[in-house]
Amino acid sequence: ESEEAVKEAVAEAAEAQTPLEIMGAGTRRDLGRPAGADRAVTLSRLAGVTLYEPAELVLTAGAGTPLSEIRELLAGENQQLAFEPPDWGPLFGAPADQATLGGVIAGNLSGPRRLRAGAARDHLLGARLVTGRGEIIKTGGRVVKNVTGYDLCKLLAGSYGTLAVLTEVTMKVLPAPPKTRTILVMGQDAAAAQATMTNALNSPHEVSAAAWLPELIAVRSGVGYVSKARSAVTALRIEGPAPSTEARCDALRDLLSGSGDMEELHYHNSSALWGEVGSASYFADGTEKPVWRVSLPPADMTRFMTDIANNCPAEAYADWGGGLVWLRVIPDLDDAGAGMIRAAIASCGGHATLVRADPEVRSRIPVFQPQPPELAALSARVKHGFDPRHILNRGRMVEGV
């Protein structure tokens, strides 16, 4: 219930060399390798917004603060977390809308707007944390400025609680766009969709999100214009003041004329669609069928999807203009498709994360993209510096560490 209580729990565990599982609401507890922990530290009561200055675009909250509470507060001032944090809870069979701010930052989770607004770590201004040594540390601040020294905020985002326990987070917030429109281009295959997304993103029309849903995925959408089209859908989002948004939509339609039939989604349908895309709602089927999140150069999207389709029955769709592929492996493979998927991205320098799978599978194969030996050694030294007894989320990212 307090930072001091977290410090005491960690210090006691360090002294006894007792592994601890660190979590917020537990909605993504099954993300990563199964934690080898005897006890759990739950931060859900370390909640509440302690500072919010709309004019300064800054917010500070306890790590256990629900994102739903933060979104509601920001909406009252027409502001938002611009990195568009996704809701992966239902992907793991957990209730929707339960994620916490600290959990999102610990995973560096970002939605479709990442290609324009940046990742979660780019919006993290400061944090308070408890290291595996039982020490309280404050890093960063309330403004963006040039400083000397290590940028620990960037290091903590994406560490999945293996370096330290976040207790308080300070975020940069931004104004919400007054208008949102999404142009849908119907009936394109992966290659045509990639060309369309590249063309749109390279245009001067400030496209804030670009995704491609094949027909098999599109029919699962809760947005009628998408599911009832009965075809593949290429989606392009434009946001901003009303006159600008409308003018840019018209210009983008002209640019893409001849690409296929088009529809346009307005605010609520647009928000619903991009929420589905970022949260991988199309794979929230109540099973533990392997789901992968593959990051790669957008130009390699079509080749990667073709390689997978030629080797294994799978379902896939693309976000981030083709730079992110969500993939669900259908057959029961011993390695959940790891060998095939990582071989397909080896030549382009991509990386693949096994987001969902049976615990036994996640305990046997690398869930996160294996690092080159030199980088793995550096990561191990960083982990040892923060958590010398390896008690925090032991084995969550790398076996035994």
Side-chain angles (χ1 to χ4, degrees), residues 122-146:
D122 299 311
H123 298 256
L124 178 60
L125 298 177
R128 293 181 64 90
L129 54 128
V130 177
T131 71
R133 301 171 181 270
E135 303 166 327
I136 295 176
I137 291 178
K138 178 182 180 296
T139 182
R142 290 172 49 189
V143 296
V144 180
K145 59 182 179 179
N146 293 323

Side-chain angles (χ1 to χ4, degrees), residues 29-59:
R29 195 175 188 182
D30 292 329
L31 175 59
R33 300 183 71 260
D38 300 320
R39 303 177 68 186
V41 173
T42 305
L43 303 175
S44 57
R45 293 189 182 181
L46 207 62
V49 174
T50 56
L51 178 143
Y52 177 39
E53 297 181 357
E56 300 298 327
L57 302 176
V58 62
L59 177 145

Side-chain angles (χ1 to χ4, degrees), residues 113 176-182 208 237-246 248-249 265-267 270-271:
R113 200 181 286 111
K179 294 292 181 182
T180 300
R181 298 286 187 270
T182 297
S208 69
R237 182 173 63 186
I238 289 181
E239 303 172 300
S244 171
T245 299
E246 293 170 7
R248 284 182 288 135
C249 277
L265 303 181
H266 288 201
Y267 182 78
S270 184
S271 297

Side-chain angles (χ1 to χ4, degrees), residues 189-195 296-307 322:
D189 61 16
Q194 182 59 63
L296 73 172
D300 286 287
M301 180 200 85
T302 303
R303 179 197 57 78
F304 170 74
M305 287 188 166
T306 301
D307 286 351

